[in-house]
Amino acid sequence: MDSAQEVFVHNIIVLSGIRPKGRTVNMKKNGRSTHGLLYIWKGEATFYPDNKSVVTATHGQLLYLPKSLKYKMQYTADGTTFVLITFDLLEEGKNPF
C-alpha cells in the first residue's frame, strides 16, 4: 500500500542578487520563516548552521534551506551572484488561507 502524502508548494518568491565579499546574513535568532533553495550562480558563500558542520556553496551548487533553520551565512567571494527561491509547504487537506 502506498503511504505517500501530497504536499503543495505555495507562497513562492524568487529573488536574485549580487553581493560583495564579507556581507553576512544572520538567521541565528529566529531561523528561516520559509523553506529556501539557494543557487550560487557565481562566487561562493559559507554557511554556519547551529550545531552543524560548516558548508561552503560555490558556483553551480544548490542548497536546500529548511524552514526554521538557524544559521549565519557570509559571502566569501566578491560579486557572488545568487538566485533564492523561498516557499511554504502545505500538507493535503490544510487550508493555506
Side-chain angles (χ1 to χ4, degrees):
M1 178 176 222
D2 187 2
S3 62
Q5 181 177 2
E6 288 186 347
V7 176
F8 300 95
V9 178
H10 67 111
N11 294 334
I12 301 168
I13 299 172
V14 179
L15 308 164
S16 64
I18 301 171
R19 298 292 184 258
K21 181 177 181 176
R23 182 161 176 182
T24 61
V25 174
N26 192 342
M27 297 286 215
K28 287 201 173 256
K29 183 176 180 182
N30 297 318
R32 292 192 55 79
S33 61
T34 60
H35 297 274
L37 292 172
L38 178 68
Y39 178 76
I40 302 295
W41 184 265
K42 174 185 167 191
E44 70 178 28
T46 301
F47 291 80
Y48 304 91
D50 282 352
N51 303 320
K52 306 281 183 194
S53 299
V54 173
V55 175
T56 299
T58 60
H59 164 77
Q61 292 185 317
L62 178 70
L63 289 180
Y64 169 62
L65 305 170
K67 186 174 183 173
S68 302
L69 176 68
K70 293 182 179 182
Y71 66 93
K72 178 181 175 183
M73 178 184 74
Q74 183 172 35
Y75 295 97
T76 49
D78 198 40
T80 295
T81 305
F82 68 93
V83 175
L84 174 64
I85 302 169
T86 65
F87 57 94
D88 284 316
L89 297 176
L90 183 68
E91 294 179 15
E92 183 179 18
K94 301 220 176 159
N95 187 338
F97 306 104

